Amino acid sequence: MIPTPEERQDLARKRQGSLAEVPFPALLAALALEERTVVLELERRQLQKSVTFEFGQVVDARSNLAHETLGRYLVAEGKIREDEFTPALALSAARGVPLGEILVEKKLLTHEELFRSLQQNLAKKLLDLFTWTDGTYHLVFDAPETGSPLKVNAPQLLLTGVTKFSPQAQVDLAVGALVGKSLGVDAEGPVRLSDLKLSPAQSAVVQALEKGRRIDELAMETALPFPEITRALWALALLGVAVPADRLPKRPKPPPAPVPTATPAPVPPPVERGTRLDPIERDLLRNRIVEEYLSYRRQDPFDLLQLPEDAGLPLIERRFLFYCRTHAPWEFEGPELGDLAEKARDLFLAGVRAYSQLSNAQERATLLTRRRTLREEKSRLPPSMVIKTDLLDSELQFKKGLQLKAAGRYPEALLQLEFAADCDPGNALYRAELADCRYRSMPEVHAKQALSELKEAIRLDANCGLAHYYLGEIERLHGSPTAAEEAYRKAMRLLAPDRRPIEGLKALKVKL
């Protein structure tokens, strides 16, 4: 649950295992901190996911879940409409190009909006894995390179995932090994605190840890709810930030700083190059860089430097020098341009690698052979209009479950709703309907489990009005009027103008 550095190295090399024994957060920490380049394949009943790491950074994630595809994600987030998505998907399949390029071409998204959506969709697919408590994993060390330009900060992902999505029972079991131990902060461990964006609660835990505290003392000093403390503590321990005091490295005190003998010359402030552009130029520049960044991992050196196949060395050199001038990362520094300098850096280095290959006659000949082979293979393939239908569709199963539930066919509805919640465990609405259906199927048997599921749904999404309403119903029917009233009042605010919470309050005979 909290591997030592030696155990973390072993985990990063182990080819397969069980998520019941090695939780996903521990696996993620091992692969990220050991800077592995590997594909992590995970399977849980019908669900399949694969996560690609490059030198410890997460760059891609795929699944067999329909709602995690880019198109379905964009529709669910309201960024495109269903009637815009369907023809764009058909065109993407017919032309054999990514859906995102079609959406940009049709001006439904800008390149920057597409990049941001791809990044958010990737994060959503990854955060879902923190809810998995069973299943198997397999590491593929010789997987082909991915064309994804995305990058996810794995330590930050781990901190967010454990804090928001890991089941509390799993967290409590993990930190059990730390109970009674004095804990501290390893400021020079594998992850620096300055690289993490900490919430106020997490910052309070870190500040208390810096003084050397046990878990019970953390609760007294921070006045935080115990679940918040344990979640922050497990994440920080996995990252090597929070460690038992007896494992803190003994470091000598640094020597005193020498007394300066002369006043150093003032250092001129860095030039903020982005500020010299007007807003229109800046937006055009951002769009160009992001557009190139989205596709550069899928381009070979000829395409990257926009060279014809018969280009000689003089033309290759001219194109390379022009590419360097237009992608020099130091030209994109400054707050006005945001993270463009990092993207330009990756593009610049890709250009250097491309020139290195093209300037070598033997490597250039190999590239030309590969391009001809790919063209021949593509010409032999028939035009495709096939759209993948082997994806698990949680939304479809959820709708079927609601229909069966409305008809009073609870055992059948349970199967459909459990499938939907299994596919999308972060969806509080799915969890709420599942809990209510479970309760209705056998009220006396399933009341405790349904209450637990509804509280977890509310923890995931405090604005899920149905979860509050169903919680109020069960609390009222099982003799907890105070808890029922609190849940009904929250549901009344969130579900307005739905009158069901009001009727529930009336049944409690309380003033509205």
Side-chain angles (χ1 to χ4, degrees), residues 185-439:
V185 172
D186 187 355
E188 298 182 26
V191 175
R192 293 178 299 180
L193 280 171
S194 58
D195 292 336
L196 297 172
K197 296 177 182 177
L198 300 176
S199 68
Q202 292 160 352
S203 296
V205 170
V206 169
Q207 289 170 10
L209 284 172
E210 287 174 337
K211 303 173 187 176
R213 296 287 186 264
R214 299 189 309 270
I215 293 181
D216 57 320
E217 294 172 330
L218 290 176
M220 295 176 59
E221 184 157 336
T222 63
L224 291 169
F226 201 69
E228 279 195 64
I229 294 173
T230 55
R231 286 175 179 276
L233 192 56
W234 188 30
L236 293 169
L238 285 172
L239 295 174
V241 174
V243 298
D246 58 7
R247 280 175 42 196
L248 283 172
K250 308 297 182 185
R251 296 188 176 94
K253 292 184 179 180
V259 179
T261 57
T263 304
V267 178
V271 178
E272 296 183 353
R273 301 178 186 276
T275 56
R276 67 190 184 190
L277 300 173
D278 65 42
I280 295 177
E281 288 178 317
R282 192 164 58 245
D283 289 346
L284 288 173
L285 182 61
R286 286 193 65 85
N287 201 53
R288 175 177 72 82
I289 293 297
V290 173
E291 178 182 2
E292 294 181 41
Y293 190 76
L294 281 167
S295 60
Y296 88 98
R297 293 287 298 270
R298 291 184 277 113
Q299 294 178 320
D300 77 352
F302 282 99
D303 291 332
L304 187 71
L305 298 184
Q306 299 180 21
L307 283 164
E309 292 185 353
D310 60 354
L313 192 56
L315 178 57
I316 292 171
E317 289 178 348
R318 287 199 301 273
R319 286 299 308 169
F320 170 63
L321 292 173
F322 175 78
Y323 185 90
C324 289
R325 284 198 301 272
T326 55
H327 296 84
W330 49 88
E331 291 292 340
F332 297 89
E333 294 171 351
E336 293 293 321
L337 293 176
D339 61 349
L340 280 196
E342 182 181 348
K343 291 182 174 64
R345 172 186 173 277
D346 289 346
L347 289 168
F348 184 89
L349 293 176
V352 172
R353 289 191 293 270
Y355 174 71
S356 174
Q357 289 180 277
L358 291 170
S359 60
N360 182 297
Q362 187 174 350
E363 289 193 42
R364 186 161 75 247
T366 302
L367 285 169
L368 288 170
T369 302
R370 187 185 305 162
R371 286 170 68 90
R372 282 195 296 270
T373 302
L374 289 173
R375 278 199 300 270
E376 290 170 3
E377 290 175 352
K378 189 174 181 181
S379 67
R380 289 195 293 266
L381 294 174
S384 174
M385 281 292 291
V386 178
I387 297 175
K388 288 184 69 174
T389 57
D390 57 344
L391 298 173
L392 303 180
D393 195 334
S394 58
E395 185 178 356
L396 178 62
Q397 302 303 130
F398 178 67
K399 289 177 180 177
K400 287 180 181 178
L402 288 185
Q403 291 171 355
L404 291 166
K405 181 186 170 195
R409 297 162 61 182
Y410 299 124
E412 297 168 75
L414 264 175
L415 291 175
Q416 303 291 337
L417 294 173
E418 282 177 338
F419 178 87
D422 204 32
C423 290
D424 192 2
N427 191 314
L429 179 60
Y430 289 7
R431 285 176 176 256
E433 291 289 4
L434 171 62
D436 182 59
C437 184
R438 193 187 307 282
Y439 174 74

Side-chain angles (χ1 to χ4, degrees), residues 91-204:
L91 188 57
S92 167
R95 289 170 48 183
V97 299
L99 174 64
E101 291 185 16
I102 301 296
L103 296 174
V104 171
E105 182 183 301
K106 288 180 168 290
K107 300 191 185 317
L108 297 173
L109 296 174
T110 65
H111 286 101
E112 192 165 0
E113 288 169 339
L114 172 61
F115 178 79
R116 198 179 309 120
S117 296
L118 286 167
Q119 196 85 354
Q120 291 166 349
N121 187 33
L122 174 58
K124 188 177 188 303
K125 285 185 275 192
L126 294 167
L127 289 171
D128 173 76
L129 286 166
F130 286 86
T131 66
W132 290 27
T133 55
D134 60 350
T136 59
Y137 72 85
H138 178 73
L139 294 180
V140 181
F141 293 98
D142 54 352
E145 289 187 7
T146 176
S148 170
L150 306 176
K151 294 178 185 176
V152 172
N153 182 332
Q156 191 67 47
L157 171 73
L158 190 146
L159 193 62
T160 303
V162 169
T163 301
K164 294 186 177 180
F165 295 98
S166 290
Q168 189 62 47
Q170 187 183 65
V171 176
D172 292 342
L173 182 62
V175 299
L178 301 178
V179 173
K181 295 183 178 181
S182 180
L183 306 170
V185 172
D186 187 355
E188 298 182 26
V191 175
R192 293 178 299 180
L193 280 171
S194 58
D195 292 336
L196 297 172
K197 296 177 182 177
L198 300 176
S199 68
Q202 292 160 352
S203 296

Side-chain angles (χ1 to χ4, degrees), residues 71-86:
R72 286 293 173 198
Y73 170 77
L74 291 170
V75 172
E77 292 294 310
K79 297 182 180 183
I80 61 173
R81 301 191 309 270
E82 183 74 37
D83 62 342
E84 294 171 330
F85 161 62
T86 304

